[in-house]
């Protein structure tokens, strides 16, 4: 896609995201008229409406948007560096590693330990999983399908460890953590949004700044080295960025599934394979998908508030099988 079309697409997706956020904030057990919502967001409105928006609804919507964007960009990076269309942080085991570490933090750490350390713990678990993936799956002339098989194995091991931690911990906290593992932004506050924000505003621009290297990665290691790219070092840096985005997202919202798989593919359809545009487009699509999934969880089965991860999984599972049979384990085109 031409740069002119990308420049037109990004503002359009941003407006869709903004409309989705306002729609989500205005919808609930106590609906707020659209224009009143907009006025309140810009400083107007009565005290009750401001409390409802800024204390209850807006924080979870902002967290959903940031988590969706982070997972989408993480998936975009993984699909490029492993040249595998089925790569995503939840599928290859990175989310699983982050979840194990996050659950261990929640069950074993003292209550006095700040919640701001949770992304750091999740990052350690995600980095461990990524290192195992790199060691076990990335060998010379390895099949792209090998990555998926290794990732499934790591995800299964992570799931077993998570279950063990849940059984070993307090039963009341186990119920909370099980809901979190499904993937939810329920009950998120501005404190959670503030904890996640630095990870998003640092690592998504870093990924965008390395878009040229991602383009070269798609050509294969031989060609990349031929044009002067330090392949191994670049791959490790990009993998680290993907891990940071996935781990910080999982630490706040739990096991949100398939955003990292779906958003890059939808973005590639709209923006092509050039990562300077693809990263931005995928981030916006991921944010839109999760904001709408959370809205569906809040409203479709009201008064029950279902985790957003249920809806992303319902969309993502058939999407995964479609990609698997379409590509038959081949690399990204």
């Amino acid at each position: 896609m031409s740069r002119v079309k990308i420049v037109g697409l990004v503002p359009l997706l941003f407006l869709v995201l903004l409309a989705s956020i306002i729609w989500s904030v205005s919808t609930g057990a106590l609906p707020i008229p659209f224009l009143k919502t907009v006025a309140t967001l810009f400083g107007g409105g009565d005290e009750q409406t401001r409390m409802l928006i800024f204390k209850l609804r807006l924080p979870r919507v902002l967290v959903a948007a940031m988590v969706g964007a982070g997972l989408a960009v993480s998936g975009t990076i993984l699909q490029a560096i492993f040249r595998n269309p089925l790569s995503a942080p939840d599928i290859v085991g990175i989310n699983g590693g982050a979840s194990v570490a996050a659950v261990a933090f929640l069950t074993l750490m003292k209550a006095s330990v700040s919640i701001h350390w949770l992304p750091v713990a999740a990052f350690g678990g995600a980095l461990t999983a990524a290192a195992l993936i790199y060691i076990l799956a990335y060998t010379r002339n390895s099949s792209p399908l090998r990555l998926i098989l290794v990732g499934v194995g790591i995800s299964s091991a992570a799931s077993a460890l998570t279950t063990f931690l849940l059984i070993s911990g307090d039963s009341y906290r186990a119920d909370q953590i099980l809901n979190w593992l499904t993937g939810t932004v329920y009950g998120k506050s501005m404190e959670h949004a503030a904890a996640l924000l630095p990870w998003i505003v640092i690592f998504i621009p870093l990924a965008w700044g390395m878009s040229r290297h991602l383009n070269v990665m798609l050509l294969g290691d031989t060609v990349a080295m031929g044009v002067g790219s330090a392949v191994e070092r670049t791959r490790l840096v990009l993998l680290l960025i993907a891990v940071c985005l996935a781990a910080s997202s999982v630490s706040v919202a739990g096991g949100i599934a398939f955003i990292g798989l779906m958003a890059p593919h939808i973005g590639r359809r709209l923006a092509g394979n050039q990562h300077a545009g693809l990263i931005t487009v995928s981030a916006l699509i991921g944010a839109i998908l999760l904001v709408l999934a959370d809205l569906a969880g809040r409203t479709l089965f009201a008064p029950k508030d279902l985790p957003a991860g249920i809806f992303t999984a319902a969309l993502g599972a058939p999407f995964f099988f479609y990609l698997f049979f379409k590509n038959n384990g081949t690399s990204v085109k």
Side-chain angles (χ1 to χ4, degrees):
M1 178 177 281
S2 69
R3 184 172 297 182
V4 174
K5 290 183 179 179
I6 291 289
V7 170
L9 179 62
V10 169
L12 177 61
L13 288 173
F14 181 79
L15 288 176
V16 173
L17 174 60
L18 186 61
S20 300
I21 289 173
I22 296 173
W23 181 22
S24 182
V25 167
S26 63
T27 304
L30 183 61
I32 305 171
F34 187 87
L35 293 178
K36 186 177 182 180
T37 300
V38 174
T40 304
L41 290 173
F42 283 95
D46 56 76
E47 176 138 5
Q48 181 183 4
T49 304
R50 287 197 298 271
M51 188 275 293
L52 182 60
I53 289 177
F54 290 107
K55 294 291 185 182
L56 299 178
R57 294 182 185 174
L58 185 60
R60 69 184 288 171
V61 174
L62 292 178
V63 168
M66 287 190 286
V67 168
L71 292 175
V73 174
S74 180
T76 302
I77 294 171
L78 292 174
Q79 288 172 17
I81 64 177
F82 291 116
R83 300 192 302 279
N84 191 316
L86 302 179
S87 297
D90 50 308
I91 294 172
V92 302
I94 292 176
N95 280 14
S99 294
V100 169
V103 170
F105 179 91
L106 292 170
T107 56
L108 303 178
M109 291 297 102
K110 296 179 180 179
S112 59
V113 179
S114 172
I115 192 67
H116 285 84
W117 288 102
L118 183 57
V120 179
F123 171 75
L127 187 61
T128 301
L132 288 173
I133 294 166
Y134 192 86
I135 293 168
L136 297 175
Y138 194 80
T139 57
R140 190 175 296 276
N141 298 322
S142 63
S143 165
L145 187 58
R146 180 184 177 92
L147 170 68
I148 301 302
L149 296 176
V150 170
V152 168
I154 291 175
S155 293
S156 299
S159 177
L161 283 172
T162 302
T163 301
F164 173 77
L165 288 168
L166 287 172
I167 293 173
S168 303
D170 180 73
S171 58
Y172 171 72
R173 183 163 288 242
D175 289 339
Q176 292 180 314
I177 294 173
L178 278 173
N179 190 53
W180 174 84
L181 286 172
T182 307
T184 181
V185 291
Y186 173 78
K188 301 307 174 189
S189 65
M190 282 300 183
E191 182 182 15
H192 294 96
L196 180 59
L197 183 62
W199 298 77
I200 299 300
V201 300
I202 291 172
F203 289 102
I204 289 182
L206 277 178
W208 185 86
M210 297 191 70
S211 57
R212 181 177 63 86
H213 296 285
L214 287 167
N215 293 336
V216 173
M217 286 284 178
L218 292 180
L219 302 176
D221 291 358
T222 303
V223 176
M225 287 186 287
V227 298
S229 175
V231 174
E232 292 299 327
R233 183 177 63 189
T234 302
R235 182 181 288 112
L236 285 173
V237 171
L238 287 166
L239 183 59
L240 185 64
I241 293 172
V243 167
C244 288
L245 288 170
S248 57
S249 299
V250 169
S251 69
V252 173
I256 301 287
F258 293 113
I259 292 290
L261 178 71
M262 293 187 292
H265 282 282
I266 298 171
R268 204 170 282 114
R269 288 281 186 179
L270 296 175
N273 285 324
Q274 296 300 307
H275 283 83
L278 178 58
I279 286 173
T280 305
V281 169
S282 295
L284 290 169
I285 291 172
I288 293 167
L289 286 174
L290 194 50
V291 168
L292 293 179
D294 178 56
L295 176 62
R298 285 197 298 115
T299 59
L300 291 184
F301 298 92
K304 291 186 177 180
D305 194 325
L306 298 183
I310 292 176
F311 295 90
T312 62
L315 289 173
F319 193 87
F320 173 83
F321 287 114
Y322 163 74
L323 289 175
F324 183 84
F325 288 113
K326 177 184 177 184
N327 292 280
N328 196 26
T330 57
S331 61
V332 174
K333 300 295 185 183

